[in-house]
């Protein structure tokens, strides 16, 4: 990157930044992307793992947002990445008679009518009586329900695949690269200063414009350009993973809470239960759940289950921060999920807010704005017709569901077809592939994002750490000290998160996390 001049440099390797890089590259721009940790290491690996329209936004009459999100969901299912997306049904259990059934049914019907405007491939909703509910969802005590359809996706894998697709179209991408300064002057080539966290090397990259897609770090990047704060507010959401046999159901579940909604989402051999929606003002790199967060989710989900979930049933917990645009309300569940593109004429364009599902729209709007800094006419976005690498029809085969048409690139020989650990499905070949093809540089990248061992096993992936590190060592030429350091860092991070989950609130949980160093910098964060 230091030897080239770019039309755009993108800051942030989450789904928005990845989408911007792909959008720009497919419009013929020279684009570079820099991510300070790993692709999707922030919010984009810690979502509710759904492509959906946002049924609850209908109550606020956000019809435009819902319709836009449903159009994007359908694009993923039909064209862009059908191998990565799994259709999933959800039941809304009824407890208040005919009036509630009419109200919920009308909302779901409107949801589906909006989806039908954009080639919806999913079935229509259905009304269920007590007998049907007892068959479909024995875990619930309910007089009836309404069943509708959305979709589930591995967010980290999807984000990484968007990055790979951008690179396939000519984008230059670099993780483990931290932005340290911006020197921009409209109408002239400016520069981005950065440091390679793997080697400590400082670089300066020339560019005509910068797109800031750094999520909850948006205001930090704005300050580097001397721009005033956008005032992006972080909202923490946590999710729990419990074994599939702990909730006797053939479908996901959606519930109303006092502040928002709660989902029980099918996820392989587990259910994901989430989410919370609370303000967060502490350190942004490693948000973690507190005991209060976990108790909140258990209380709500147990309010409808015949057999309650207990703390000992929880296999994994993860926490993420949503970057919301600050509104008039202090309650984060009421802040806008709309996105904004901010351009103050300095050469820095920030895109903030939004939903994971609408990342492609956010990217298109940001790149549209960037053309004002380029000596060429604007051209329209084309990403709605460009499948992601590996795109192939959805399959029940686990490997095809992760790699699509690239499944045959996995090296199954030499023991690659053996599992990493016995209680999870991941193969040794997948860990090697994560390094050779998917940009993984550290043990945490592999155990937390290229696989989900960190949340899908009761020991949070610790038993797999040495096997995984030794597989990575063969590809990255790590010595024994490096292997030990990677394992120590991973185990320290897991221990810190478990300590946090035993603390009653966020402030004490934050204190419990201190001392787990970032392996890329060696600094405790």
């Amino acid at each position: 990157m230091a030897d080239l001049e770019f039309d755009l440099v993108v800051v942030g390797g989450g789904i928005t930044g990845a989408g911007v890089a792909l959008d720009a590259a497919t419009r013929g721009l020279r684009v570079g992307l820099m991510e300070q940790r790993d692709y999707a290491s922030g919010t984009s690996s810690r979502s509710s793992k759904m492509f959906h329209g946002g049924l609850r936004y209908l109550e606020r009459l956000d019809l435009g947002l819902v319709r836009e999100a449903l159009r994007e969901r359908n694009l993923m299912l039909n064209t862009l990445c059908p191998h990565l997306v799994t259709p999933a049904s959800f039941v809304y259990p009824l407890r208040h008679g005919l009036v509630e059934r009419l109200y919920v049914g009308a909302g779901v019907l409107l949801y589906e009518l909006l989806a039908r405007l954009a080639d919806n491939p999913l079935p229509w909703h259905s009304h269920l009586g007590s007998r049907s509910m007892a068959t479909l969802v024995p875990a619930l005590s309910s007089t009836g329900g309404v069943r509708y359809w959305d979709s589930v996706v591995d967010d980290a894998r999807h984000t990484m695949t968007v990055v790979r697709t951008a690179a396939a179209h000519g984008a230059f991408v670099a993780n483990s690269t931290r932005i340290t300064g911006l020197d921009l002057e409209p109408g002239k080539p400016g520069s981005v200063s950065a440091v390679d966290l793997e080697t400590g090397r400082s670089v300066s990259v020339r560019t005509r414009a910068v797109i800031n897609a750094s999520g909850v770090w948006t205001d930090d990047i704005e300050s580097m350009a001397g721009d005033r704060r956008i005032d992006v507010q972080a909202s923490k959401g946590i999710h729990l993973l419990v074994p599939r046999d702990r909730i006797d159901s053939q479908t996901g579940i959606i519930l109303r809470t006092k502040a928002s909604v709660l989902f029980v989402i099918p996820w392989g051999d587990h259910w994901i239960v989430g989410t919370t929606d609370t303000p967060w003002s502490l350190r942004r790199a490693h948000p973690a759940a507190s005991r209060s967060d976990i108790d909140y989710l258990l209380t709500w989900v147990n309010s409808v289950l015949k057999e309650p979930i207990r703390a000992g049933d929880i296999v994994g917990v993860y926490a993420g921060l949503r970057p919301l645009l600050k509104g008039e309300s202090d309650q984060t569940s009421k802040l806008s999920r709309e996105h904004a593109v901010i351009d103050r004429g300095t050469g820095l364009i920030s895109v903030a807010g939004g939903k994971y599902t609408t990342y492609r729209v956010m990217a298109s709007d940001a790149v549209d704005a960037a053309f004002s800094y380029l000596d060429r006419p604007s051209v329209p976005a084309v990403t709605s017709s460009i499948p992601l690498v590996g795109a192939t029809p959805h399959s029940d085969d686990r490997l095809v569901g992760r790699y699509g048409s690239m499944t045959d690139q996995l090296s199954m020989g030499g023991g690659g077809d053996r599992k990493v650990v016995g209680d999870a499905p991941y193969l040794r070949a997948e860990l090697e592939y994560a390094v050779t093809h998917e940009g993984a540089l550290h043990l945490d990248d592999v155990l937390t994002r290229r696989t989900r061992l960190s949340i899908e096993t009761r020991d949070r992936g610790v038993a797999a750490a040495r096997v995984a590190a030794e597989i990575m060592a063969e590809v990255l030429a790590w010595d024994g000290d490096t292997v030990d350091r990677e394992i120590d860092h991973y185990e320290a991070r897991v221990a810190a998160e478990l300590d946090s989950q035993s603390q009653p609130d966020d402030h004490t949980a934050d204190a419990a996390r201190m001392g787990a160093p970032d392996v890329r910098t060696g600094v405790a964060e």
Side-chain angles (χ1 to χ4, degrees):
M1 290 184 179
D3 297 330
L4 301 172
E5 181 175 319
F6 290 88
D7 296 308
L8 293 176
V9 165
V10 184
V11 181
I15 187 56
T16 306
V20 169
L22 176 57
D23 185 287
T26 53
R27 295 202 217 187
L29 301 182
R30 176 172 280 179
V31 57
L33 180 148
M34 300 182 185
E35 161 58 42
Q36 67 175 337
R37 287 182 173 82
D38 181 31
Y39 307 119
S41 59
T43 305
S44 296
S45 60
R46 307 176 192 184
S47 73
S48 293
K49 311 194 187 312
M50 295 173 63
F51 283 132
H52 66 129
L55 187 60
R56 67 188 174 110
Y57 302 133
L58 289 179
E59 282 193 312
R60 304 176 197 168
L61 299 180
D62 284 340
L63 300 185
L65 175 62
V66 175
R67 180 182 177 183
E68 180 179 80
L70 288 170
R71 182 190 67 217
E72 295 301 310
R73 181 202 70 182
N74 294 350
L75 267 176
M76 306 302 163
L77 284 161
N78 292 328
T79 304
L80 300 187
C81 52
H83 65 301
L84 294 176
V85 191
T86 303
S89 71
F90 294 86
V91 159
Y92 187 103
L94 301 173
R95 291 183 284 181
H96 302 294
L98 180 61
V99 173
E100 184 185 26
R101 182 181 288 277
L102 292 173
Y103 181 76
V104 174
V108 172
L109 177 61
L110 176 58
Y111 189 70
E112 291 177 344
L113 289 173
L114 292 173
R116 294 285 161 178
L117 297 174
D119 195 18
N120 183 25
L122 299 178
W124 287 98
H125 74 283
S126 57
H127 284 264
L128 307 176
S130 57
R131 184 176 299 177
S132 296
M133 285 289 287
T135 300
L136 188 67
V137 200
L140 297 181
S141 296
S142 176
T143 58
V146 179
R147 186 188 193 189
Y148 75 100
W149 292 78
D150 258 318
S151 62
V152 177
V153 65
D154 184 330
D155 48 8
R157 173 150 294 278
H158 173 261
T159 298
M160 180 276 299
T161 304
V162 175
V163 172
R164 286 192 68 181
T165 308
H169 285 273
F172 291 74
V173 299
N175 52 353
S176 224
T177 304
R178 177 173 292 169
I179 305 301
T180 56
L182 300 176
D183 183 8
L184 302 175
E185 186 175 349
K188 298 181 181 179
S191 64
V192 176
S193 299
V195 60
D196 177 353
L197 297 179
E198 300 302 309
T199 65
R201 177 191 174 203
S202 295
V203 297
S204 180
V205 177
R206 291 169 293 163
T207 184
R208 307 287 298 189
V210 173
I211 292 183
N212 175 14
S214 57
V216 293
W217 285 271
T218 295
D219 287 324
D220 300 54
I221 304 300
E222 284 276 314
S223 66
M224 289 184 183
D227 290 347
R228 65 181 183 274
R229 290 171 56 88
I230 297 170
D231 207 0
V232 172
Q233 181 168 330
S235 169
K236 187 179 73 169
I238 80 151
H239 296 78
L240 315 177
L241 267 77
V242 298
R244 198 66 176 262
D245 61 9
R246 285 299 294 111
I247 301 176
D248 188 3
S249 177
Q250 300 175 47
T251 179
I253 303 168
I254 179 174
L255 309 172
R256 290 182 68 110
T257 67
K258 290 181 180 178
S260 183
V261 296
L262 183 142
F263 283 100
V264 178
I265 303 163
W267 180 259
D269 294 331
H270 300 84
W271 297 102
I272 296 176
V273 180
T275 178
T276 57
D277 204 342
T278 55
W280 178 265
S281 58
L282 303 174
R283 293 173 300 170
R284 292 160 290 176
H286 300 291
S290 67
R291 190 176 68 221
S292 301
D293 295 325
I294 295 171
D295 289 346
Y296 170 85
L297 289 181
L298 290 180
T299 297
W300 275 105
V301 74
N302 286 339
S303 70
V304 298
L305 295 179
K306 293 178 182 177
E307 184 178 346
I309 297 171
R310 308 196 184 280
D313 296 322
I314 298 171
V315 173
V317 180
Y318 65 92
L321 300 179
R322 305 178 191 89
L324 303 182
L325 300 175
K326 188 169 177 60
E328 294 179 357
S329 171
D330 289 333
Q331 297 179 18
T332 63
S333 62
K334 296 182 180 179
L335 297 188
S336 176
R337 260 58 173 185
E338 299 277 4
H339 70 273
V341 174
I342 298 94
D343 178 10
R344 300 192 177 100
T346 63
L348 174 67
I349 298 162
S350 292
V351 54
K355 286 165 47 67
Y356 189 106
T357 303
T358 58
Y359 79 90
R360 202 186 59 80
V361 179
M362 298 166 66
S364 175
D365 289 349
V367 176
D368 284 345
F371 270 97
S372 64
Y373 296 98
L374 308 180
D375 54 356
R376 65 180 73 186
S378 177
V379 295
V382 294
T383 53
S384 62
S385 60
I386 296 180
L388 302 187
V389 293
T392 193
H394 183 77
S395 170
D396 291 334
D397 181 277
R398 188 189 71 83
L399 291 177
V400 175
R402 286 170 55 79
Y403 303 97
S405 63
M406 299 183 294
T407 302
D408 60 1
Q409 294 178 0
L410 295 173
S411 299
M412 293 299 191
D417 57 350
R418 288 160 46 204
K419 287 185 177 182
V420 179
V421 288
D423 59 346
Y426 303 105
L427 307 178
R428 294 173 182 237
E430 295 182 78
L431 273 60
E432 178 183 348
Y433 189 83
V435 183
T436 57
H437 289 72
E438 297 177 347
L441 296 175
H442 293 280
L443 183 59
D444 184 59
D445 302 345
V446 166
L447 297 182
T448 304
R449 287 170 291 278
R450 304 305 183 279
T451 72
R452 293 299 192 163
L453 285 162
S454 65
I455 57 173
E456 293 178 348
T457 56
R458 286 192 176 275
D459 69 350
R460 309 302 203 260
V462 169
R466 182 157 295 277
V467 173
E470 290 174 351
I471 292 171
M472 297 183 72
E474 292 184 11
V475 182
L476 295 173
W478 288 349
D479 59 20
D481 289 342
T482 303
V483 168
D484 291 342
R485 184 167 61 250
E486 289 282 331
I487 294 171
D488 289 345
H489 165 263
Y490 184 78
E491 291 179 346
R493 200 213 74 184
V494 169
E497 289 181 352
L498 292 174
D499 283 347
S500 297
Q501 293 161 24
S502 68
Q503 304 299 323
D505 56 52
D506 290 331
H507 294 279
T508 52
D510 190 62
R513 287 197 304 279
M514 296 179 67
D518 188 316
V519 73
R520 287 173 164 82
T521 64
V523 176
E525 296 197 25

